[in-house]
Amino acid sequence: MSVRWVLPHLFKLQSAAIRWSDELTRSQYNEPVSHTDMDEAALQFRWMLHPSLGLPRQPFFLWKNRHPGGDLSTQELANLPGWEPLEVIGLPVDNSWRDTGYDLNDQGPINHLLSPIRAALQRLKLGAPRNGWTRLSLSNVPLPDWEPPEPEAYLDDLLKGRLLLGIQAMLRDLYNARDHDKYVVKEAEAYPGQLNPRLLLQQVKAAAGLHPPSRSEWHPLGLLLVGAGTDPLTALALGFGTARVPDGEVDDLYMVSVRHGLQVGNKEYEFELADVVTVNQHLPAPKAPTGLTARIIAHNRPQLLDDPVLENIGVSWDRSENPNYSFLPPGNTSHPAAYAVGRFGPESWRSEILLTRRPELVRGWLPFVASKPDQARPVIFTDHVVHPAANSDSHLIASSLGLKCSYAVAAQDIFGRWSPWTTTLFQGPDEPPQTPSVLSIKLDPSGAAVVDFSWDWSNRSPEFIELIGTYEDDPGSRLFMVHLQFGGYEQPESSGFEVIPLNSKRELAAGWGGAQDTDPSEPEVRFYRLSVTIPIHFAGQRYRFFQVQARGQCHNHHISIPDWNISPFSQPVGTAIYDPAPPPPPAVPEVPQWASLPDITGVSRAQLRWSGNSTIAGYVLYEATETTLLAALGLPGPDTSKPFTDRLAILRAANLSALRSAFRRVRKELIPAATPETVYEAALPRGSTVIHLYAVTAMSHNQVESPWPDNSKKFIAVAAPKLAVPAAPSLEATPLTMAERALVNLTIGLGQGVAAENVELYRTANEKLAANVDTMGPPIATLHVAGPEISFTDNTLTPGWRRVWYRAVAWSARDDQRGMIEARSPASSAVSFLLTPSSLPEVIDLRVNESGSSNSEVWISWTSHAPETVTPLGPHNIVLETCDADGSVIARAEERLDAVTDVDNLSNLPPVEPGGWAIVRVGEAGSYRIYARLPRPAVDQAFSVTVKIIDPLGRIGSVSADVPPFTRDL
């Protein structure tokens, strides 16, 4: 005997003792019960295969055995000897299945075998539930009672159905059971309305005789296992469950096994799957669902105007734990396999079971099966509820009140027992009011107003539309109020106001209603135009803002409750109406205006300015040239050699107000108004030398222009100026000798041409900076020009050995009469000057026997203000002389100051031959000290030393000092 495999994750058996008479007592059931020609069988068995195994081609066997005692595993129990076969259970097949490989032998009890179909019917009669859900009533309205299905009609419908045809095709087409779970049936034509008759749209189309074909794909094996795992009747009929009358001990073992084969690669494997249980004698019925709620999950517009709205309501409740193929321990509550869902309402008299009905001969309903969860835990059932409706003038008018109904849910286990009902109340929101839209307003100064407005007819017709017009600054001013009474009809009743229908392009429509729509059979947003005259009052203001608002009521809202759900007024839409009186002309300057100097392109620009006014739309600018105006006056062209004022006087004296045709508009657009002053930049033609006159008028928001200037002085006169550049001045510098200080006299000569008004003098001690007057720093003096030549004495120059440079520039005078702009002349040539010191060069702080002196040489040092660099007149020279007591010169040395060696300190002295002379400079320029090393005439001989500095002019400054003999104390 082959070994049976017990694999709970692939094949699972459940069993319970279900005594329907006890269930009647438990649930206090007084409703219809199922009566068959066979007594109930209390021992119920259900099993399930994992889809990855496919569908065996052999039927299942039910076995019984005595429990041997001990703690044996299920695997060990399945392979015990002494198992007694009780029943063969399989698909309800006949000879039409002979090409599928499925076992066509008889099924049923071993001692009374029947054909597979008759065996299936017997299982249904023995094991089908005898009672269903308990009766539930709210406000004396009961839910429909459970209806016991007819076993013969149920089996007949199943045999003719698509499920078994799909299983038959799967077994015929796929030999290897491993591929069964991938098998798909594709149907070119299927009618969704038949698969789910609760879909509203499908019901509507079916009523109209329309059944549009659709494609469908489904998995036969998956559908078989879902049905067998959730519906007690399907499990019994398709060979995944059976029921037996008890005929043994309560602790007897029961086993269901099946022989199966799989092909893996090129090899075929045959094996026997099994599972062993003892019958659970006290398995409680499922508990009532918990966490029941209901909410709107979608809102569908009505199919026809004013028809009821379809609400999609999600009814959800907690999903109980249900590990796949889990073991149910004794005393555990039976797990819900399917559900019944009912609804009370929305009408007070209505109640219904929200399940798909079985065929009429079968009776009853198909249970609702929750989908396998991923992350979301609650079970969700979607109900499609149509709002109630009432007849009005032979038309069906939908109620706009919020849906109010109650939902009830009960759970069913795989053996067919029902839990108590759980209920929840659902209250939906009322249908919101619909507000008409004001689209545009046109208003002319006479008070004639045209208002375009609309109402969306896609879903709801209007009962009325009301429009009011007010001034924004005075909301209480009802300039008009129009009440258009539609009453659900396409054309409003006469209101005493002119209202016309518009089409989708907001043009005059051919009629009311469908003629206004793009598609006459599909109502959409419809447009209307109201013409009305309102009184215009500006109340001392330059303008007022006129606004219109609209409100309305849907016809079906009025039918539900008169004067209820009237919309609020829409957002105001308005337009400004301006006083038609012309605005005052702006005030312009009478003084002539100068434009800027020409830019790099030769264009001059003028800033035109006039008084601003914030209540107008803008300004219009006109321009005419001096040439054009003189020609219009019959006068010769302009003489640009004359002063600007003389030429302007001619134009001011003429009647320019009468020459409007000579002026051209500068720009098409209005110049925006600004306060307190409006500024506009006008560009004169390139190289213009004539006067340009501008006229400025104000334009109101009603396009009313202010009067033309009535005086020639009210035109702005503008011309381009010229730059007056004087010739470069000449410059001479001479010294002035005075007793106390040295001075420099500067003489500036001015050339012919443009007159100069001022002269600026510049000075620098840096020859490179003197190359450009702009790098010489600020001027040392600004002199007023009083003649062709002016003088200036520079008394701030300090004498020294550095040369200074002078330069001069002349500035012209501004001449507004001629339009001349002051300008700077080119700079004069640079003039250099050297003011030498009047004193002799100094030898300061002469010291002898400095550190480092010895009995053979002496170090002396001094300082001086003489420049160490070569001056413009030459270098300074150093002369050293030593003399004996009689004044006779012992030795003499001479060296240029700029050639003296520069060292950081005495330790860096260059090497000197013994008995030689050495002169070095220590320190930075301007604060140096000179050190000299001299040979002594004799060790114990005193002598004198004289230091002389000779400047480039030959002037000598000298200092002498005695040098005592050298001792160690020095």
Side-chain angles (χ1 to χ4, degrees):
M1 181 177 105
S2 61
V3 176
R4 297 186 179 104
W5 293 354
V6 177
L7 303 172
H9 60 287
L10 295 178
F11 180 63
K12 185 64 181 175
L13 171 64
Q14 297 182 43
S15 177
I18 308 298
R19 297 172 179 84
W20 293 107
S21 58
D22 295 344
E23 289 297 314
L24 293 175
T25 303
R26 174 190 66 82
S27 61
Q28 298 180 355
Y29 187 84
N30 296 313
E31 289 74 53
V33 296
S34 175
H35 296 286
T36 66
D37 56 5
M38 301 184 74
D39 294 334
E40 67 177 53
L43 300 185
Q44 296 277 352
F45 300 91
R46 301 291 187 271
W47 52 90
M48 180 57 58
L49 275 171
H50 196 282
S52 62
L53 290 175
L55 183 64
R57 285 180 165 83
Q58 296 293 322
F60 297 92
F61 278 80
L62 176 65
W63 311 75
K64 185 175 75 171
N65 203 349
R66 291 294 302 150
H67 200 295
D71 189 18
L72 298 179
S73 66
T74 308
Q75 177 69 45
E76 292 171 325
L77 293 174
N79 289 283
L80 286 174
W83 282 103
E84 174 190 356
L86 300 178
E87 188 176 352
V88 181
I89 308 103
L91 291 172
V93 297
D94 56 19
N95 286 335
S96 64
W97 291 65
R98 58 182 175 273
D99 58 350
T100 64
Y102 195 84
D103 188 347
L104 304 182
N105 291 319
D106 290 345
Q107 301 176 13
I110 294 298
N111 57 3
H112 189 256
L113 293 174
L114 304 167
S115 69
I117 293 177
R118 291 183 60 194
L121 180 59
Q122 179 175 283
R123 292 195 298 270
L124 284 170
K125 291 182 176 181
L126 287 171
R130 294 301 194 263
N131 54 279
W133 55 71
T134 57
R135 179 169 296 166
L136 177 66
S137 297
L138 288 180
S139 301
N140 297 321
V141 177
L143 276 179
D145 289 335
W146 178 76
E147 297 178 3
E150 292 292 337
E152 291 88 350
Y154 174 80
L155 182 59
D156 183 63
D157 182 69
L158 187 65
L159 293 173
K160 296 176 181 178
R162 293 152 61 195
L163 175 57
L164 283 177
L165 291 177
I167 295 296
Q168 186 177 6
M170 178 189 73
L171 294 175
R172 183 176 58 248
D173 295 345
L174 296 178
Y175 173 77
N176 190 359
R178 291 185 63 198
D179 300 327
H180 288 174
D181 62 336
K182 303 179 185 65
Y183 189 80
V184 177
V185 174
K186 298 181 180 180
E187 296 181 349
E189 292 191 2
Y191 300 110
Q194 297 172 354
L195 295 176
N196 190 349
R198 288 196 50 74
L199 293 180
L200 176 67
L201 298 181
Q202 294 156 4
Q203 288 181 345
V204 172
K205 293 180 179 178
L210 301 175
H211 266 310
S214 62
R215 300 173 183 174
S216 67
E217 296 183 1
W218 53 283
H219 296 258
L221 179 60
L223 195 56
L224 166 67
L225 297 179
V226 168
T230 58
D231 187 348
L233 299 181
T234 303
L236 293 168
L238 296 182
F240 281 80
T242 188
R244 290 187 60 81
V245 176
D247 59 353
E249 304 297 328
V250 295
D251 61 346
D252 282 346
L253 295 176
Y254 288 89
M255 177 177 66
V256 173
S257 67
V258 63
R259 296 200 61 79
H260 195 27
L262 295 175
Q263 181 177 339
V264 180
N266 296 326
K267 292 186 178 181
E268 294 188 6
Y269 297 90
E270 292 190 2
F271 52 93
E272 185 177 5
L273 286 173
D275 196 13
V276 180
V277 297
T278 57
V279 176
N280 191 330
Q281 299 292 330
H282 305 287
L283 180 65
K287 293 181 179 180
T290 59
L292 181 61
T293 61
R295 62 182 178 87
I296 294 177
I297 58 176
H299 179 89
N300 298 292
R301 55 168 291 187
Q303 298 299 300
L304 297 173
L305 182 66
D306 289 335
D307 265 14
V309 171
L310 173 67
E311 305 281 12
N312 295 337
I313 300 177
V315 183
S316 64
W317 58 91
D318 295 336
R319 185 188 302 270
S320 60
E321 294 295 332
N322 182 25
N324 287 337
Y325 314 108
S326 62
F327 175 68
L328 296 176
N332 185 58
T333 302
S334 181
H335 172 73
Y339 300 91
V341 183
R343 171 171 31 88
F344 295 92
E347 297 89 350
S348 60
W349 49 266
R350 184 185 298 276
S351 68
E352 57 182 312
I353 297 296
L354 304 179
L355 302 177
T356 302
R357 267 201 168 274
R358 300 185 192 271
E360 183 177 357
L361 295 178
V362 178
R363 302 178 63 201
W365 291 266
L366 293 171
F368 170 68
V369 178
S371 61
K372 181 181 178 181
D374 292 326
Q375 298 297 328
R377 298 304 303 168
V379 176
I380 298 179
F381 175 88
T382 302
D383 183 25
H384 310 282
V385 187
V386 178
H387 279 244
N391 284 317
S392 176
D393 295 336
S394 302
H395 291 86
L396 193 65
I397 301 297
S399 170
S400 54
L401 298 175
L403 283 176
K404 183 177 181 180
C405 50
S406 294
Y407 286 94
V409 179
Q412 181 190 39
D413 65 12
I414 190 58
F415 304 112
R417 297 177 301 171
W418 289 93
S419 75
W421 291 96
T422 297
T423 60
T424 187
L425 175 65
F426 169 78
Q427 176 63 65
D430 295 337
E431 187 173 305
Q434 182 170 313
T435 305
S437 298
V438 178
L439 305 176
S440 66
I441 299 174
K442 294 181 180 178
L443 180 64
D444 63 31
S446 68
V450 176
V451 181
D452 284 4
F453 60 98
S454 66
W455 178 275
D456 188 354
W457 284 74
S458 302
N459 301 328
R460 297 288 179 247
S461 64
E463 174 66 19
F464 72 85
I465 298 175
E466 189 174 88
L467 298 100
I468 61 169
T470 62
Y471 284 126
E472 182 186 48
D473 58 347
D474 185 10
S477 60
R478 292 292 178 94
L479 303 179
F480 73 83
M481 184 175 71
V482 178
H483 185 91
L484 302 176
Q485 187 68 36
F486 283 84
Y489 293 98
E490 295 175 335
Q491 181 176 353
E493 299 175 3
S494 175
S495 61
F497 293 90
E498 181 185 350
V499 179
I500 61 174
L502 305 178
N503 60 23
S504 59
K505 297 180 181 179
R506 288 169 66 180
E507 300 169 347
L508 180 62
W512 298 85
Q516 297 178 256
D517 301 323
T518 304
D519 181 355
S521 64
E522 289 289 339
E524 56 188 11
V525 176
R526 293 177 182 171
F527 303 98
Y528 306 91
R529 178 166 294 160
L530 166 69
S531 297
V532 64
T533 301
I534 66 170
I536 301 296
H537 302 291
F538 288 96
Q541 304 178 64
R542 296 296 297 169
Y543 71 94
R544 299 192 79 178
F545 196 83
F546 171 68
Q547 63 184 21
V548 176
Q549 295 174 275
R551 67 175 181 173
Q553 182 188 31
C554 297
H555 177 56
N556 66 324
H557 296 181
H558 173 75
I559 296 299
S560 297
I561 303 176
D563 300 327
W564 172 75
N565 227 14
I566 296 174
S567 76
F569 278 104
S570 63
Q571 288 294 319
V573 175
T575 183
I577 179 72
Y578 295 87
D579 192 340
V588 300
E590 180 182 350
V591 178
Q593 308 293 304
W594 288 109
S596 67
L597 290 172
D599 58 20
I600 193 172
T601 64
V603 175
S604 296
R605 304 178 189 277
Q607 295 280 329
L608 307 181
R609 301 174 183 271
W610 57 87
S611 60
N613 186 345
S614 61
T615 65
I616 65 171
Y619 295 96
V620 184
L621 183 66
Y622 301 89
E623 181 260 355
T625 65
E626 179 184 8
T627 305
T628 302
L629 294 173
L630 290 175
L633 293 170
L635 299 176
D639 184 359
T640 57
S641 65
K642 290 184 178 180
F644 174 68
T645 50
D646 294 347
R647 291 155 51 196
L648 180 59
I650 297 174
L651 297 175
R652 295 288 196 208
N655 185 12
L656 297 183
S657 300
L659 302 179
R660 182 165 184 169
S661 60
F663 285 80
R664 67 173 185 88
R665 187 166 175 168
V666 173
R667 53 182 274 176
K668 180 180 179 181
E669 301 81 10
L670 294 178
I671 297 172
T675 57
E677 185 180 57
T678 300
V679 180
Y680 178 79
E681 183 178 273
L684 305 186
R686 180 183 302 177
S688 174
T689 59
V690 299
I691 300 172
H692 296 259
L693 280 93
Y694 293 89
V696 184
T697 60
M699 187 71 74
S700 74
H701 289 276
N702 285 335
Q703 300 300 304
V704 179
E705 191 173 12
S706 67
W708 185 256
D710 57 0
N711 189 302
S712 295
K713 294 182 179 181
K714 294 182 179 180
F715 294 85
I716 303 175
V718 177
K722 296 180 181 179
L723 201 61
V725 182
S730 62
L731 181 63
E732 294 181 1
T734 56
L736 292 177
T737 303
M738 297 184 66
E740 297 179 357
R741 54 180 175 173
L743 305 175
V744 178
N745 184 63
L746 299 169
T747 302
I748 303 100
L750 301 171
Q752 301 296 320
V754 176
E757 184 179 34
N758 297 302
V759 172
E760 292 177 343
L761 283 173
Y762 295 85
R763 183 184 70 196
T764 183
N766 189 309
E767 185 177 5
K768 291 182 179 180
L769 297 180
N772 189 324
V773 72
D774 292 326
T775 61
M776 295 178 70
I780 62 172
T782 299
L783 310 175
H784 180 70
V785 176
E789 186 177 276
I790 55 176
S791 297
F792 174 74
T793 300
D794 185 4
N795 58 7
T796 62
L797 187 63
T798 301
W801 291 101
R802 297 183 64 187
R803 191 180 297 276
V804 295
W805 282 264
Y806 291 94
R807 298 191 82 167
V809 294
W811 280 90
S812 64
R814 183 184 184 92
D815 188 348
D816 290 337
Q817 298 293 319
R818 295 181 176 274
M820 306 300 289
I821 302 297
E822 66 272 20
R824 192 179 74 172
S825 73
S828 69
S829 299
V831 175
S832 65
F833 189 84
L834 180 63
L835 186 61
T836 58
S838 59
S839 59
L840 300 176
E842 295 177 302
V843 177
I844 305 170
D845 189 23
L846 177 61
R847 303 173 188 174
V848 298
N849 283 332
E850 288 279 75
S851 175
S853 299
S854 64
N855 56 5
S856 61
E857 57 188 14
V858 59
W859 278 96
I860 64 174
S861 69
W862 70 94
T863 185
S864 176
H865 296 304
E868 66 275 15
T869 58
V870 178
T871 73
L873 300 181
H876 284 67
N877 291 290
I878 299 174
V879 176
L880 298 178
E881 292 179 344
T882 56
C883 299
D884 56 16
D886 297 331
S888 300
V889 175
I890 302 174
R892 187 176 186 275
E894 183 175 351
E895 189 167 352
R896 287 173 49 168
L897 180 58
D898 63 296
V900 172
T901 301
D902 186 15
V903 296
D904 294 333
N905 51 64
L906 294 179
S907 62
N908 293 332
L909 288 175
V912 180
E913 295 181 2
W917 294 64
I919 303 175
V920 295
R921 185 174 63 248
V922 179
E924 298 180 355
S927 59
Y928 61 83
R929 192 170 186 84
I930 303 296
Y931 288 84
R933 187 179 68 174
L934 311 176
R936 289 181 183 274
V939 174
D940 55 354
Q941 180 181 351
F943 63 96
S944 65
V945 61
T946 299
V947 178
K948 299 178 182 179
I949 295 182
I950 306 172
D951 67 16
L953 297 178
R955 295 176 299 182
I956 301 173
S958 66
V959 173
S960 298
D962 292 331
V963 181
F966 177 77
T967 64
R968 292 295 179 183
D969 296 334
L970 292 177

